């Protein structure tokens, strides 16, 4: 994926891939992956707020890669700007892609079909509703949490180190009936072949053994949880596609929207060109940029037909 580095007339150097993935490994070792409990937070986003609804509608048309590219640019701005409002950018949080897996991907031929709210059917966007299990391998708290959810919610569960499944086909079908956008479980699920195709289901593990249903837990949205190695607060926006799951506040996602939309527009234009037989390299100043970099000169890789978008010339480029 390309990185959009142009914002308000400023070209921003790309962050290294190491910096980009630093959030993936924020496992809070003192708590332990899949076992963390956080302190409650005050305040929840109103998912019926027109501004939040607009953010989610726009997100449904995007991809995680474009959002991550926009996030990198904003993080660079935050690290160099002298303006307090820009330095306060919180950033998106990426759940560990090596463990948090999409368990019911839909066929590619249907992935980009429009759904009722104008988005893509393979994208999960919703408001986080958090559940923390108080007893490993007991999913009564998950069943209760599901009973408290509604349209556009994403049920986010920390299983406390469970080794037995806390959700499966029946839960996914009920979640679809309620209009949820997805279920994200830090721990095991089962019935992978029978998960509802109408919502996205992610988990870090699979087990055919189900847990018990004896411990009701503390309730829903009582506390933030650690899921996929990152903190998820009740009311956060959750974005997921086949590449991964992103977490952030409504404000953070709002900050990323414009650049992410611009990136996707440019990439669609590049793809259209290649389908017409035009090479990717010829649509950029690739030869000039390569020569300049070999000579040690400062250079930016640019898309020739869109002056408002520039790509980095300072770090290694990984073209998709």
């Amino acid at each position: 994926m390309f990185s959009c580095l142009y914002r308000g007339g400023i070209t921003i150097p790309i962050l290294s891939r190491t910096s980009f993935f630093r959030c993936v490994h924020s496992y809070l070792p003192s708590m332990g992956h899949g076992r963390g409990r956080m302190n409650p937070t005050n305040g929840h986003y109103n998912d019926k707020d027109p501004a939040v609804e607009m953010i989610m509608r726009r997100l449904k048309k995007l991809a995680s890669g474009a959002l991550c590219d926009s996030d990198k640019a904003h993080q660079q701005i935050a690290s160099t700007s002298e303006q307090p409002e820009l330095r306060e950018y919180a950033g998106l949080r990426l759940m560990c892609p090596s463990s948090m897996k999409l368990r019911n991907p839909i066929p590619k031929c249907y992935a980009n079909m429009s759904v009722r709210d104008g988005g893509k059917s393979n994208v999960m966007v919703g408001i986080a509703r958090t559940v923390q299990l108080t007893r490993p391998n007991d999913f009564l708290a998950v069943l209760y949490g599901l009973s408290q959810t509604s349209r556009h919610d994403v049920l986010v569960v920390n299983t406390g180190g469970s080794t037995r499944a806390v959700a499966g086909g029946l839960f996914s079908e009920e979640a679809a009936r309620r209009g949820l956008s997805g279920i994200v479980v830090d721990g095991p699920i089962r019935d992978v072949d029978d998960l509802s195709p109408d919502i996205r289901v992610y988990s870090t593990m699979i087990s055919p053994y189900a847990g018990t249903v004896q411990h009701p837990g503390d309730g829903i949205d009582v506390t933030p949880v650690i899921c996929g190695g990152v903190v998820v607060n009740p009311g956060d926006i959750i974005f997921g596609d086949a590449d991964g799951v992103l977490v952030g506040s409504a404000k953070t996602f709002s900050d990323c929207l414009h650049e992410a939309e611009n990136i996707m527009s440019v990439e669609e234009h590049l793809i259209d060109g290649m389908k017409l037989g035009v090479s990717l390299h010829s649509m950029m100043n690739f030869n000039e940029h390569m020569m300049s970099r070999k000579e040690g000169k400062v250079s930016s890789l640019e898309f020739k037909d869109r002056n408002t978008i520039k790509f980095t010339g300072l770090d290694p480029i990984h073209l998709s």
Side-chain angles (χ1 to χ4, degrees):
M1 296 286 286
F2 292 109
S3 297
C4 176
L5 301 168
Y6 185 90
R7 185 179 188 275
I10 303 173
T11 301
I12 305 298
I14 195 171
L15 297 177
S16 68
R17 290 177 69 85
T18 300
S19 298
F20 167 56
F21 283 111
R22 68 182 183 273
C23 62
V24 175
H25 301 289
S26 58
Y27 281 92
L28 304 178
S30 62
M31 296 180 178
H33 178 44
R35 298 177 184 271
R37 300 189 68 187
M38 307 295 292
N39 293 325
T41 56
N42 295 321
H44 296 257
Y45 290 110
N46 179 4
D47 57 341
K48 302 300 186 293
D49 183 329
V52 175
E53 287 188 331
M54 177 61 72
I55 290 169
M56 293 198 296
R57 281 199 296 271
R58 291 172 67 182
L59 285 172
K60 284 287 289 184
K61 301 177 182 180
L62 295 177
S64 59
L67 285 165
C68 287
D69 289 345
S70 177
D71 178 63
K72 285 190 291 184
H74 280 279
Q75 290 195 45
Q76 182 67 23
I77 292 170
S79 67
T80 57
S81 176
E82 296 181 357
Q83 300 181 41
E85 64 273 17
L86 295 180
R87 295 186 65 87
E88 291 174 357
Y89 176 73
L92 298 175
R93 306 186 292 281
L94 173 66
M95 291 189 184
C96 181
S98 65
S99 61
M100 186 59 73
K101 301 292 187 180
L102 176 61
R103 302 301 179 180
N104 60 339
I106 59 178
K108 287 186 176 180
C109 58
Y110 300 115
N112 292 321
M113 291 179 65
S114 295
V115 292
R116 281 177 295 178
D117 57 358
K120 295 186 292 185
S121 57
N122 64 328
V123 171
M124 173 183 73
V125 179
I127 301 297
R129 306 295 306 278
T130 64
V131 172
Q132 174 68 54
L133 296 195
T134 57
R135 296 289 184 93
N137 299 320
D138 191 287
F139 61 89
L140 184 56
V142 182
L143 188 59
Y144 172 77
L146 183 59
S147 74
Q148 303 301 301
T149 57
S150 57
R151 182 170 171 77
H152 296 318
D153 288 345
V154 175
L155 189 64
V156 181
V157 181
N158 181 292
T159 67
S162 296
T163 57
R164 296 199 170 193
V166 303
L170 294 178
F171 282 26
S172 71
E173 200 64 48
E174 173 62 12
R177 187 192 70 81
R178 289 174 170 271
L180 270 67
S181 295
I183 299 174
V184 184
V185 178
D186 193 311
I189 66 166
R190 70 175 190 176
D191 307 329
V192 172
D193 288 339
D194 298 316
L195 295 173
S196 171
D198 296 324
I199 66 168
R200 304 277 71 78
V201 180
Y202 295 80
S203 76
T204 58
M205 297 171 60
I206 297 173
S207 172
Y209 275 98
T212 58
V213 283
Q214 299 302 313
H215 300 282
D218 294 332
I220 190 171
D221 293 340
V222 173
T223 175
V225 298
I226 296 177
C227 192
V230 300
V231 175
V232 180
N233 301 297
D236 277 344
I237 289 180
I238 309 291
F239 178 99
D241 61 13
D243 287 347
V245 181
L246 296 168
V247 183
S249 67
K251 182 181 185 306
T252 299
F253 273 107
S254 178
D255 289 341
C256 291
L257 277 174
H258 178 71
E259 286 81 7
E261 289 168 340
N262 205 10
I263 290 167
M264 290 196 67
S265 175
V266 169
E267 292 189 345
E268 289 169 2
H269 190 73
L270 290 168
I271 291 170
D272 288 343
M274 286 182 279
K275 287 181 177 178
L276 293 172
V278 182
S279 76
L280 174 63
H281 300 76
S282 69
M283 289 188 281
M284 302 180 291
N285 63 333
F286 177 75
N287 293 330
E288 297 89 340
H289 174 69
M290 281 291 292
M291 183 170 294
S292 295
R293 292 307 297 144
K294 286 180 178 179
E295 295 174 355
K297 298 178 182 178
V298 176
S299 176
S300 293
L301 183 62
E302 301 178 9
F303 177 46
K304 293 179 179 179
D305 296 333
R306 296 280 180 92
N307 293 327
T308 58
I309 294 292
K310 292 188 177 182
F311 305 102
T312 183
L314 303 180
D315 284 349
I317 300 164
H318 304 272
L319 299 177
S320 58

